[in-house]
Amino acid sequence: MNRYFLALLIVLLPSNAYPCSRTTPVDPAEMVRFADLIVVARAVDYDRAPSDHRITTTGVPDSVVRFEIDEWVKGKGPTSLSLHGYLSAADDFNEITVPYTFVRKGGRSGSCFANSYREGGRFLLVLKLHKGAYNVDWYALGPTNEQLHDGEDPWLVWVRTQVRVAQSPN
């Protein structure tokens, strides 16, 4: 009888069935404040190509994309960096209004993080240092690696303003 109760309990707790969830809403100002490094970078090529040429949305990709950094928005760091992910021929711009309170479409299923990058595309990467490496997979469902339209993309302008305000003396 206890096994049946346990099985029923598992079925009735749908939050356990979702692959990704948050206990608090995405707060873009908080995300920018807690980031260790924020850069504008171009997705250049693979450091390590995918083993089976399929793009998956769950787990950490086995492939690694190399980025060349065009601008340091917050902090200073390397001139290039590598992140687990996939190169794509398709754009994946966030369609919601700025400030973004949710990840772009590529991160809305599976692992909570977008993991594909338009080859040659420019991205605003909101990074956290973990175990000696920067990564974007630290703020679930947050806009940590958004594709940019241009140098005056509204998301980039908003993030630059947040960084400037946080760094200015009161």
Side-chain angles (χ1 to χ4, degrees):
M1 191 65 122
N2 285 341
R3 283 191 288 186
Y4 295 113
F5 178 74
L6 182 59
L8 181 62
L9 187 62
I10 290 171
V11 169
L12 293 176
L13 294 174
S15 64
N16 292 339
Y18 294 110
C20 178
S21 64
R22 291 184 57 91
T23 57
T24 60
V26 171
D27 180 343
E30 174 188 75
M31 183 187 71
V32 168
R33 191 170 48 255
F34 290 139
D36 294 322
L37 181 69
I38 302 175
V39 299
V40 175
R42 280 177 292 107
V44 179
D45 56 16
Y46 281 116
D47 271 346
R48 184 172 60 229
S51 59
D52 63 6
H53 300 289
R54 286 183 308 152
I55 293 179
T56 60
T57 59
T58 58
V60 177
D62 64 344
S63 54
V64 177
V65 175
R66 186 173 64 84
F67 293 83
E68 292 293 328
I69 296 175
D70 295 334
E71 175 188 346
W72 291 271
V73 177
K74 178 182 179 183
K76 292 290 181 197
T79 57
S80 67
L81 60 95
S82 298
L83 301 171
H84 285 277
Y86 302 100
L87 289 173
S88 171
D91 288 318
D92 186 15
F93 295 109
N94 202 323
E95 81 287 0
I96 62 177
T97 58
V98 169
Y100 296 152
T101 56
F102 207 51
V103 66
R104 57 190 164 101
K105 288 180 187 177
R108 296 179 190 165
S109 62
S111 67
C112 299
F113 303 101
N115 59 20
S116 64
Y117 301 93
R118 168 85 188 231
E119 188 169 6
R122 294 177 75 228
F123 293 83
L124 183 63
L125 304 176
V126 181
L127 302 150
K128 196 79 172 159
L129 189 61
H130 180 70
K131 295 184 180 179
Y134 288 106
N135 69 74
V136 292
D137 298 347
W138 65 277
Y139 198 87
L141 297 172
T144 59
N145 59 353
E146 297 297 319
Q147 186 175 357
L148 300 173
H149 290 89
D150 56 36
E152 293 305 313
D153 184 280
W155 174 238
L156 175 57
V157 170
W158 187 88
V159 170
R160 282 179 182 147
T161 302
Q162 292 298 300
V163 169
R164 213 173 19 255
V165 166
Q167 293 175 344
S168 68
N170 289 340

